[in-house]
Amino acid sequence: MDIVKNDVTTYPAYFAGDWQASESNKTIAIQSPWRHETIGRVQAVTQSEVDQVIDAAKKAQKPWAKLSLGERGAYLNKWADELDKQKDDLATAVMDEVGKNYKAAKGEVVRTINLIRYTVQEALHMHGESVRGDGFPGGSKEKLGIIERVPLGVVLAISPFNYPVNLSASKIAPALMAGNAVIFKPATQGSISGIKMIQALDKAGLPKGLLSLVTGHGSEIGDYLTEHPGINMISFTGSTRTGKRLSQKSIMIPLVLELGGKDPAIVCSDADLDVTVKNIISGAFSYSGQRCTAVKRVLVDDKIADQLVAKLKTAVENLSVGSPADNSTIVPLIDNKAADFVSGLIDDALGKGATLVTGNHREGNLLTPTLLDNVTQDMDVAWIEPFGPVLPIIRVHSLDEAIKIANKSSFGLQASVFTQDIDKALEAAGAIEVGTVQVNGRPSRGPDNFPFLGVKASGMGTQGVHNSILSMSREKLTVVNLRP
Ligand code: NAP
Ligand code: G3H
């Protein structure tokens, strides 16, 4: 199936149950962000191949939807078993391809196995309802409405580079359990991990045609996939820029978008600073800040700002920096362009008077963790998502001011509030315009049975296992007109 030449594997695409090279005769080299070498090549799939796999998906979806939930679930549980067998290999692939440290990569794979099994259980326990017509004025008891959930058809799943296994399976598993077929387009940097994950699904014996994996640059096949009339629903995770494009291109197609963020950590004067620092540090810097839910700004009460900054400085300087294979917290960014972008934000802030507390050293795409104090609202880093290891600190005079600045952002993914006063926490939680507010904890997706959503430029619709199944199915009403 895979072709190995000069120690570099060329991976086939997965077309309707068959592993094949693309007719384009073109492949894309995948560079490891930390080994700085080509670790594999993936197919550049053509538009006509997209047509063929969507056609096959349409055909395979009908018999799949007729299977019982238990039968569908059995395939997915086998998939989870296969992933469990190859979890070390898959974790290594994730580490090599996207530079996540080995421990976190393994954590991602294990989380995915649990997510697939949980999705099966959740789908087994979801059920329809019935309603009598007499609840409405003038309605009649003889009208019995049976409300069931039915699949949408073919779901297009598009995932980002930073969780190449988990954020793909969290679309594929609910789509399949809801009775849909799937076209999976992984992030190009993330394709090898995606392919290995689908090899496990193939081993589980999934019926041919039901799922296809199309690799290729989003800029080349993305619009074609999004606008394809054979697609019935799109589940997308990635940047706000790409999400907005999808929203313009996909006309009257149900769309779930999980996009970027600029999550604030609001630190009140009565916060437990040890709890606060621990959460801000892991929130801002794990995987070098390449998480949508990373803490991307701190809004701290003036009264405790000096104390907080001193503690954050010590913690930042203790972070391990280096190789993902050594389980470093700070690892090389996904590519040089990403590192240039972060450096540009730091330079802009320093040029406008921010204080460099620590960090700002760079070797290629490896940036040391950087703490910026006295950041003001005229600086880009106050508003733009860096997706890298830089944390701006904005000093405020009150909780009201912190909430105002939090809400001024175009993003609305999550926010943290650190305080020991639960009334204050709940008041703030009510006022901050985001999908989720964390009280005394770092922003984070999950546990995966929780709803996960962003508002404003952070997204549309809700993920989390239960909500994903809902978004990938629809209500179907059958009215039985009984004899009076
Ligand atoms: P991205 O550049 O937007 O790419 C995401 C996916 O979209 C990739 O598969 C990409 O393919 C594809 N794509 C690109 N252009 C497309 C087009 N015209 N049509 C259809 N698909 C297209 O995002 P990323 O750099 O991978 O991920 C980082 C961003 O994702 C950050 O902003 C982060 O906050 C956000 N994110 C959000 C969440 C969340 O749940 N809210 C989770 C993770 C990440 P190629 O790789 O081939 O370009
Ligand atoms: O990158 C975005 C992910 O949805 C974040 O997930 O909070 O579990 O790291 P996480």
Side-chain angles (χ1 to χ4, degrees), residues 158-162 167 185-188 216-219 222-223 226 236-239 242 245-246 258-260 292 385 387 413 452:
I158 306 181
S159 50
F161 79 83
N162 67 333
L167 280 172
K185 149 68 189 108
T188 297
H217 289 300
S219 52
D223 288 355
T226 305
F236 172 83
T237 303
S239 64
T242 313
R245 188 177 176 92
L246 258 73
E258 296 294 355
L259 310 176
C292 59
E385 177 185 49
F387 231 55
L413 190 56
F452 180 63

Side-chain angles (χ1 to χ4, degrees), residues 390-442:
V390 54
L391 182 61
I393 296 168
I394 301 173
R395 294 174 177 232
V396 295
H397 301 296
S398 65
L399 179 56
D400 275 354
E401 188 188 354
I403 293 171
K404 268 195 201 115
I405 297 174
N407 287 345
K408 229 168 132 182
S409 169
S410 60
F411 293 106
L413 190 56
Q414 296 205 352
S416 295
V417 182
F418 293 94
T419 172
Q420 297 188 65
D421 178 341
I422 189 66
D423 292 327
K424 204 192 277 181
L426 291 178
E427 198 185 313
I432 304 169
E433 294 155 4
V434 290
T436 302
V437 175
Q438 305 270 353
V439 177
N440 295 325
R442 69 175 210 175

Side-chain angles (χ1 to χ4, degrees), residues 56-73 75-76 123 148-155 174-182 206-211 232 472-474 476:
K58 281 232 155 312
K59 290 189 182 116
Q61 188 265 332
K62 297 224 157 23
W64 176 252
K66 285 194 178 137
L67 295 185
S68 70
L69 281 169
E71 286 167 321
R72 281 184 229 151
Y75 286 103
L76 271 84
E148 294 172 288
R149 292 206 78 84
V150 296
L152 297 177
V154 180
V155 170
L176 290 175
M177 277 314 290
N180 301 287
V182 178
L206 194 76
K208 272 183 185 288
L210 200 57
L211 180 137
N232 306 109
M472 292 169 172
S473 56
R474 68 172 172 88
K476 172 82 181 270

Side-chain angles (χ1 to χ4, degrees), residues 57 60 86 129 268 282 321 337 340 351-352 386 401 434 445 466:
Q86 65 177 66
E129 56 181 333
C268 301
S282 84
V321 179
K337 206 170 135 208
D340 289 345
K352 288 175 180 159
E401 188 188 354
V434 290
R445 175 171 55 100
H466 182 81

